[in-house]
Amino acid sequence: MTTHYFSVDVEEYFQVSAFEGSVPRDLWERLPSRVEGSVYGILDLLARHDARGTFFTLGWVAERHPKMIKRIAGAGHEIASHGWDHVRVTQQTPEEFRASVKRSKACLEDLAGAQVLGFRAPSFSIVPGREWALDILVEEGYRYDSSLFPIRRPGGYGYASAGRDPFVLERAAGKLDELPPATLRRLGVNLPAGGGAYFRIFPYALVQHAFRHFDARGVPGTFYMHPWEIDPDQPRQQAPLSSRLRHYTGLSRTLPRLERLLSEFRFTAIADRYSRSASLAAS
């Protein structure tokens, strides 16, 4: 059986892109934090299934919850970067993006006591026309990215021409491994099957079939989720109906589905691919 990659985008329930127009950033400090309880629930879940994961964490969250970061790392999981404060790449200049990934990397490495190898953009927002972000990641010492979602979706999201399997990006600044979220190919179309709202709202069979196909080909697929997705009691935000439907639908289904996913497939952290290659090189 192939070992796949389990990942968590560590952010607060009020920081999601769907609420950008409804929850101003200057309110963040006054809203109740719920991220720790959810993250600890995920750690317990992974421990029950003898699985490891990669926690793409916002620097803003890490700075306010240093014990949580140390607990994640202490449990044997990987800490990676989700940027500083969940600003999409499409809303940043190259200078702003560099400052974000540099600052978050330094903060996370200090707290975790380990090198940060990977990055995932908020809302998978490295899209066509923003490839300069990949060069900046190489220049700032990142080894892999997990931001190119090979699907077609409007709204500054998705990179339809990207590969579905892990691949190497040859950039002017150097090489960068790309770990795209899992998709299922049907009728010439890539269906999003890597987690998030697709995991909560669509039938479980979509993700199940996708990872069975990855298993059959011996290729690792990448699954992702957010801590707030296992928190059906989180405070409700005033936002457009479409945003509320996408954010709140299926929250009570997430944990049971995760239990099933982790019992049917084997998962580890993305960093494991590098520790294995290092071990082979040394042997």
Side-chain angles (χ1 to χ4, degrees):
M1 180 182 290
T2 304
T3 300
H4 305 287
Y5 301 128
F6 189 96
S7 64
V8 184
D9 292 355
V10 182
E11 60 197 45
E12 292 279 8
Y13 62 95
F14 50 78
Q15 294 177 311
V16 299
S17 296
F19 294 154
E20 280 178 345
S22 308
V23 185
R25 291 173 182 272
D26 57 10
L27 287 182
W28 284 6
E29 294 285 4
R30 288 182 276 170
L31 293 171
S33 173
R34 297 178 67 88
V35 69
E36 280 196 3
S38 296
V39 164
Y40 296 156
I42 295 169
L43 293 180
D44 291 342
L45 172 76
L46 293 173
R48 288 198 299 275
H49 292 275
D50 194 26
R52 294 173 58 244
T54 295
F55 288 71
F56 291 97
T57 307
L58 291 178
W60 189 97
V61 170
E63 189 176 61
R64 288 157 177 78
H65 301 276
K67 291 182 180 178
M68 180 184 74
I69 303 304
K70 294 175 181 179
R71 183 164 169 178
I72 295 170
H77 303 287
E78 178 189 8
I79 298 292
S81 172
H82 198 35
W84 186 259
D85 55 359
H86 213 269
V87 177
R88 286 180 282 182
V89 178
T90 50
Q91 298 172 338
Q92 292 178 294
T93 65
E95 294 74 22
E96 290 168 339
F97 178 75
R98 186 185 297 276
S100 173
V101 298
K102 181 191 288 285
R103 184 182 181 190
S104 61
K105 191 174 192 291
C107 174
L108 294 168
E109 288 179 342
D110 180 61
L111 292 172
Q115 184 181 7
V116 167
L117 302 176
F119 172 79
R120 176 176 290 153
S123 298
F124 301 103
S125 55
I126 298 181
V127 299
R130 297 297 191 279
E131 292 86 355
W132 48 258
L134 301 169
D135 290 305
I136 290 174
L137 290 175
V138 175
E139 293 165 357
E140 292 301 327
Y142 287 87
R143 190 159 179 183
Y144 74 84
D145 174 67
S146 185
S147 305
L148 305 188
F149 207 157
I151 62 171
R152 295 187 184 280
R153 203 187 101 169
Y157 183 117
Y159 203 109
S161 63
R164 296 179 56 236
D165 298 340
F167 61 97
V168 178
L169 288 158
E170 300 277 357
R171 300 296 306 168
K175 294 182 179 180
L176 187 70
D177 290 346
E178 181 62 38
L179 286 299
T183 54
L184 180 66
R185 186 77 172 173
R186 285 290 183 268
L187 300 175
V189 176
N190 292 342
L191 302 177
Y198 311 108
F199 184 65
R200 291 182 283 111
I201 297 172
F202 296 154
Y204 174 79
L206 174 67
V207 172
Q208 182 187 53
H209 289 333
F211 280 91
R212 283 179 177 173
H213 277 270
F214 280 107
D215 264 348
R217 295 186 297 116
V219 174
T222 300
F223 180 85
Y224 74 95
M225 65 164 298
H226 309 84
W228 52 262
E229 291 185 285
I230 64 167
D231 183 13
D233 297 324
Q234 63 188 266
R236 264 37 180 182
Q237 306 302 311
Q238 295 298 319
L241 178 61
S242 60
S243 297
R244 286 184 281 121
L245 287 174
R246 185 164 70 251
H247 186 86
Y248 298 121
T249 300
L251 294 179
S252 61
R253 290 196 290 263
T254 308
L255 265 179
R257 287 187 174 189
L258 286 172
E259 293 278 6
R260 184 176 178 183
L261 184 75
L262 289 165
S263 67
E264 293 181 353
F265 302 96
R266 188 166 57 197
F267 287 93
T268 191
I270 297 172
D272 208 35
R273 67 189 282 120
Y274 300 104
S275 61
R276 286 201 306 271
S277 63
S279 298
L280 289 172
S283 61

